[in-house]
Amino acid sequence: MKRREFLTATAAAAVLSQMPIRIAAAQDKVIRFSMPQDFTKVYTFVTAEYSQGQRDYLTLVNLQGGINGHQIVADVSDHGNDLPRAIEAYERAKSEGAVLIDPLSTPVARALVPRALEDKINLITAFSGRSDAADGTAFPYVLPLSPNYWTQAALLIDFFRQKDGDLNGKKICYVHIDTPFGKEPLPILQKLAEQQGFELVTFPYTPPGNDQSAIWPQVRRARPDWVMFWGAGVGQTTALTEAIRNGLDMSRLSSSVWISESDMEVVGAEQCTGVLKVEPCVSGREPELIQEILKEVVEPDKGAGPEDKVGTAYYNYGVMLAAIMVEGVRKAFEKDPDGPISGEWLNAGLRSISDFTAEGLIPATTITPEDHQGGGQGRIAHWDGAKFVPDTDFFSANQDVVWEEVRKYSEEFKKTGK
Amino acid sequence: MFYRRAGIRHTRYQDERQIWPLPFDRRLALLIFLLAIFAPLLIDRLYLVSYLLPWVIWSTAALGLNFLMGGAGQIHLGYGAVIAIGAYASVHMVRAGLPFELAMIGGGLLSAAVGMIFGATALRVKGLYLAMATLAMQYIVDFVIIQFPAISGGTQATLQVPRVSFLGVEVTGDLAPYYVALLICLLVTLFMLNLRRSSFGRALAAVREKDYAAAVIGVNTFRYKLLAFWVSSFIGGVVGSVLAVCYYRAISPDQFHLDLSIQLVAMVIVGGLGSVLGSFFGAALILFAPILLNQFFGFAASELGMTISTDLRSHVPLMLYGAMIVGFLLWEPLGLAKIYANLRNYFLVWPFRHARQ
């Protein structure tokens, strides 16, 4: 190869390597959401259902003409819970002009916090990430938009109190995966135990939790009044199996938002009857929004996944989050119709959402610059053998204890962060 | 033709023993060095911060592990834990007010101390047994970090890295972290390149080939095995602090799990045991193949109208990635560096057939 040819080829390669980004950035009337999520490693089917819900809802919005004439483009990719890959996806999203990123992964969300705060890109950490991000004053660009784990634990404890009248002298067992995620609710539970006089017994199991056979006989012997099990993925179904094997009362067994129809089918839908969970939104196909998606997206075969997954718990979480994001876009246009569309612009919208119910799918949610959790509401539902049936209305409980903890850590972050 | 060996006569021993005896190789190395230095001007910001920077850091880590596995023949399945110790130690030191330069060395020293304790098992066991002992290190270190909130940083288990400066330059933005990582990588690379030419490197090679035989010819195997773990863990610790400060900026325990250790072992093996260049190749393949394959399939699905479900779309790249690793090792069991060496060897006297190396 002659030197000139070589130089020309190098120059061409250098120019070409820059091309895809420039083209993507050139399209206007588009709002970019970046959704690198873990489809392959830890969250697997959780992500598949969640992402399906998100994409179906966004398709619905786009079919109805978008927001203010803007189409919403969702860049879905797989980060496999691997940080270099997630950071690559984040930086790519940033260079493509994405205004929001939703990684749905606790390790990834935690690692992206410093970048998101610096770059002013809205980092959605629904049901993942730092619980103290509920404090919007410390984390302006980190938005959980959903009840955090401290709130979920607090909701369950309050539900137990509603059922038993008084928790004084009762015994509550907390079975959890021995990771930061599993240990997170402990300070809240300890404080509530002190306040309400119940005895808290904790049982950590080693990650990933596919063998918990040593733990559950101890739980049985402790004769608990209520059991909470806190894990993810395979740990949840194993916990259920072991609870059944040890003859625990299923109607006094409860978990966070991370238990779904699929888990029940794995364990045996019949045997799990009675298991309690926290629901951040309505499940099933009844909500108006899900009906609309069925009619306008799924029936004309524009759905993002198999039809039978529509209306599952995680699918509805996806719809819930996408609906809140889009409501944020709507609010942002109300505040500043001419943009320019940026992370800051969307942030103002997201943080001014008030009493949004997504046509009855979620409790009336208000996001403020101080409260990124949206009020911390949820409801308790039980499995009736075929679906989750709500036991309560959406309610909020023990938020004083939760916020005390949130502030404790967010203050520390303010001091040492950045 | 390319290497122009004709007429090159080494008349002094020093000439023959240079790192790169051929002018072509020297120029190539210089070109790559200059490209690395001027990379921020040549490539888009995205490629700098999310490809080049992690590549430089992971290559340094792979070099540190390659020193132990390729240089001294000791297997280590807990290198992620070594990096974790360095990262946590240096971040805690920086938070306590120590300058970053000292914290980096402090992290390295702590890693080296802990790494040497576990490495001491190498005095008694070898091969698979040593693999188990180092695997235990991985789990113990993970456990200790998670169980002590004082180390991991409370219920959120995340430690923010404060702003630091390195030799008077503030490590913020895109450029400074890259140059800090590059400097460390350069130092480690130079050390590794010169290792083979030093008595230390030759002693390690003797231990690697057969420790009894090494003892017979007068190499103190006790000392050199421990030293190998010490040096390798020191490099790992320094990489840990670079990783935390320049790349992650917030550390949590899950960044340093067994996955990282296995990833590094894969980099070393796919790249080529004992090869400096191989560490860079291995790191590039293991880090970027999944990303690029994923993007290719994403592009194919969205632009070329290839209709595949999201599930398949995210799993096919993984299958191909696995196939690539197997494929490369089948093609050349000695790793990517050997493939490069074969190519180089071919072109050494091209267009003629044989080169004496």
Side-chain angles (χ1 to χ4, degrees), chain B:
Chain B
M1 170 163 192
F2 299 102
Y3 288 88
R4 309 200 177 190
R5 292 192 70 193
I8 297 177
R9 294 276 178 273
H10 297 299
T11 48
R12 299 179 309 163
Y13 286 122
Q14 292 98 298
D15 293 346
E16 182 93 54
R17 279 211 307 263
Q18 292 178 83
I19 296 178
W20 297 294
L22 297 185
F24 180 86
D25 286 331
R26 277 202 292 276
R27 279 183 213 129
L28 193 63
L30 183 69
L31 177 71
I32 291 168
F33 175 71
L34 287 177
L35 280 178
I37 292 285
F38 292 108
L41 301 175
L42 301 171
I43 57 173
D44 196 82
R45 183 192 162 275
L46 168 69
Y47 297 101
L48 181 73
V49 295
S50 56
Y51 289 83
L52 210 51
L53 177 61
W55 186 26
V56 166
I57 297 175
W58 259 260
S59 299
T60 319
L63 281 173
L65 183 60
N66 213 339
F67 169 80
L68 190 64
M69 285 181 59
Q74 310 295 321
I75 193 163
H76 202 317
L77 289 185
Y79 208 64
V82 172
I83 294 178
I85 296 170
Y88 273 93
S90 60
V91 170
H92 276 294
M93 286 180 202
V94 164
R95 281 166 75 109
L98 227 64
F100 176 44
E101 300 87 348
L102 284 183
M104 189 190 267
I105 293 171
L109 287 176
L110 192 70
S111 278
V114 179
M116 199 172 75
I117 293 171
F118 283 91
T121 44
L123 300 172
R124 308 275 300 172
V125 294
K126 269 182 234 166
L128 281 177
Y129 301 93
L130 183 59
M132 292 312 292
T134 48
L135 194 61
M137 172 183 182
Q138 174 76 46
Y139 282 108
I140 292 169
V141 171
D142 276 0
F143 181 83
V144 168
I145 291 174
I146 290 174
Q147 296 302 324
F148 290 89
I151 301 178
S152 70
T155 54
Q156 295 306 317
T158 312
L159 271 184
Q160 301 294 321
V161 182
R163 277 174 194 241
V164 294
S165 58
F166 185 76
L167 303 178
V169 183
E170 202 162 313
V171 189
T172 48
D174 305 327
L175 294 185
Y178 171 68
Y179 284 117
V180 171
L182 190 65
L183 176 70
I184 301 298
C185 180
L186 195 68
L187 291 178
V188 174
T189 309
L190 283 178
F191 169 72
M192 289 291 288
L193 282 173
N194 282 296
L195 184 71
R196 229 174 315 180
R197 311 194 303 164
S198 66
S199 65
F200 181 38
R202 284 191 294 273
L204 289 180
V207 170
R208 175 188 68 205
E209 296 308 329
K210 190 82 209 166
D211 48 1
Y212 296 140
V216 167
I217 57 170
V219 174
N220 184 346
T221 53
F222 175 84
R223 180 160 165 239
Y224 280 104
K225 275 185 181 176
L226 285 186
L227 256 182
F229 274 92
W230 197 95
V231 172
S232 162
S233 303
F234 181 81
I235 296 174
V238 170
V239 172
S241 75
V242 172
L243 189 65
V245 171
C246 299
Y247 188 56
Y248 283 147
R249 292 185 237 166
I251 52 173
S252 56
D254 27 49
Q255 292 162 350
F256 307 101
H257 275 178
L258 183 62
D259 297 5
L260 178 62
S261 302
I262 299 292
Q263 206 184 27
L264 288 167
V265 171
M267 284 173 187
V268 169
I269 291 176
V270 174
L273 275 174
S275 158
V276 174
L277 196 59
S279 304
F280 287 88
F281 286 155
L285 181 75
I286 302 288
L287 271 184
F288 303 136
I291 298 179
L292 295 178
L293 285 169
N294 238 304
Q295 269 162 15
F296 171 74
F297 276 91
F299 178 77
S302 62
E303 310 292 322
L304 307 179
M306 194 168 72
T307 46
I308 42 174
S309 72
T310 324
D311 252 359
L312 197 62
R313 207 189 98 183
S314 40
H315 282 94
V316 167
L318 280 185
M319 295 180 217
L320 282 179
Y321 171 54
M324 263 171 85
I325 292 179
V326 175
F328 275 121
L329 286 180
L330 274 179
W331 181 16
E332 182 51 71
L334 295 179
L336 297 171
K338 183 68 183 165
I339 295 179
Y340 171 78
N342 288 346
L343 268 175
R344 180 177 175 277
N345 221 7
Y346 178 78
F347 281 110
L348 215 46
V349 289
W350 187 82
F352 303 107
R353 288 292 298 268
H354 296 291
R356 222 165 8 98
Q357 175 61 29

Side-chain angles (χ1 to χ4, degrees), chain A residues 26 31 36 38 47 73 83 89 91 116 140 160 183 193 199-200 239 241 244 247 274 305 322 350 362 388 400 413:
Chain A
I31 297 172
D38 169 22
T47 312
V73 173
L83 287 169
E91 293 293 349
F160 302 159
K183 298 201 307 187
E199 189 192 342
L200 177 72
T241 316
I244 295 166
L350 282 169
I362 61 173
F388 284 103
D400 48 336
F413 182 84

